Amino acid sequence: MDIAPVTRSAVSDSVFAHLVDEILSGRAAVDDALPSERELALAFAVNRHAIREALKRLQQARLVRISHGGKTRVQDWQQTAGLDVLSALAATGAVPALQIARDIMVMRRSVGADAARLCARNASDEQLTTIADAAAAYPAQHTDESIAADLTFWTAIVDGSGNLAYRLALNTLVAAFADIGFGSIADLGTSAELADRDAHITLAEHLVARDADAAHRVADDLLGRVVEILSAQQ
């Protein structure tokens, strides 16, 4: 492992980020034992408390496991990790950003379309009004504000679906987008979606009318545009 001393500011974060990069990149192979806390503290030139905190976070992310005898061993993150690792994957470059973006958008389409269907059935009248207002306020032209407006619109739909897992997944996807760079996401082909104010308004109308099937159809089409563009680029 290539380890160098880190600065004293946010040392635990720095150690954690470095070890995540080692694991996700494959430089620390599955079932490899990490160096001991003492060895890591010496290599990073930090105290053992910072190392212990970083290792605890790695274990919580299911990137490592504590084996018999106290060894900390690398796990196969593709088998054990959760969605929260998406942000780390984007930040480390362990997986190409285009692939991460495509996979995120595929999941976003599936979750968003189903959330729209559930929203039509489950949302309160007040939540539907919020969605209609968000659609009405959507920019007529694709601008720098379109991403924020789109996020507001879809957040309202996911909230209206009443599905907590979808809401938490949305938080994870937004964090991954932020790490990839919202500007980069827009450059990858989301303009076909972000510029379509009419589709946002039509979707809101179907939701207000509580037409679940129509809402699902429009949402799937709207969110699927960028999927097609990203798939064609690979």
Side-chain angles (χ1 to χ4, degrees):
M1 296 175 64
D2 180 19
I3 299 175
V6 297
T7 61
R8 293 290 173 178
S9 61
V11 289
S12 180
D13 289 343
S14 297
V15 172
F16 174 73
H18 188 105
L19 292 176
V20 166
D21 185 67
E22 291 290 314
I23 292 169
L24 296 183
S25 68
R27 290 190 294 273
V30 175
D31 288 331
D32 275 0
L34 295 184
S36 67
E37 286 185 8
R38 179 177 177 278
E39 291 169 326
L40 287 171
L42 289 172
F44 283 111
V46 300
N47 60 49
R48 292 180 67 172
H49 176 73
I51 298 298
R52 197 170 295 120
E53 287 297 314
L55 293 177
K56 180 180 178 181
R57 290 172 62 187
L58 288 175
Q59 185 177 28
Q60 290 172 338
R62 298 187 295 281
L63 296 177
V64 300
R65 70 182 185 278
I66 306 299
S67 302
H68 180 68
K71 291 286 187 180
T72 300
R73 294 193 178 276
V74 176
Q75 298 208 95
D76 183 350
W77 59 266
Q78 294 194 51
Q79 300 293 325
T80 61
L83 282 174
D84 51 306
V85 172
L86 278 173
S87 293
L89 284 170
T92 62
V95 176
L98 182 60
Q99 179 183 336
I100 295 175
R102 185 207 60 190
D103 290 350
I104 288 173
M105 289 302 186
V106 169
M107 180 178 176
R108 177 173 175 261
R109 177 183 61 185
S110 299
V111 170
D114 194 55
R117 177 161 47 199
L118 292 174
C119 182
R121 297 170 179 168
N122 301 332
S124 67
D125 291 341
E126 181 179 359
Q127 287 174 318
L128 292 177
T129 297
T130 298
I131 294 167
D133 290 345
Y138 200 86
Q141 302 292 330
H142 181 28
T143 67
D144 292 341
E145 287 74 40
S146 296
I147 292 177
D150 189 65
L151 178 58
T152 297
F153 179 75
W154 283 105
T155 298
I157 290 175
V158 172
D159 286 342
S161 75
N163 189 302
L164 178 59
Y166 283 175
R167 187 63 176 85
L168 297 179
L170 174 64
N171 295 342
T172 301
L173 298 185
V174 170
F177 286 157
D179 285 327
I180 294 173
F182 284 106
S184 297
I185 293 294
D187 292 341
L188 288 173
T190 54
S191 58
E193 172 194 331
L194 296 175
D196 197 341
R197 180 175 186 265
D198 289 344
H200 287 76
I201 291 175
T202 298
L203 175 53
E205 290 172 347
H206 288 317
L207 292 171
V208 170
R210 297 193 180 276
D211 189 336
D213 290 339
H216 180 276
R217 184 174 62 254
V218 173
D220 185 74
D221 173 73
L222 183 60
L223 298 176
R225 298 175 189 178
V226 65
V227 174
E228 294 179 1
I229 293 171
L230 293 179
S231 296
Q233 293 181 24
Q234 289 197 314

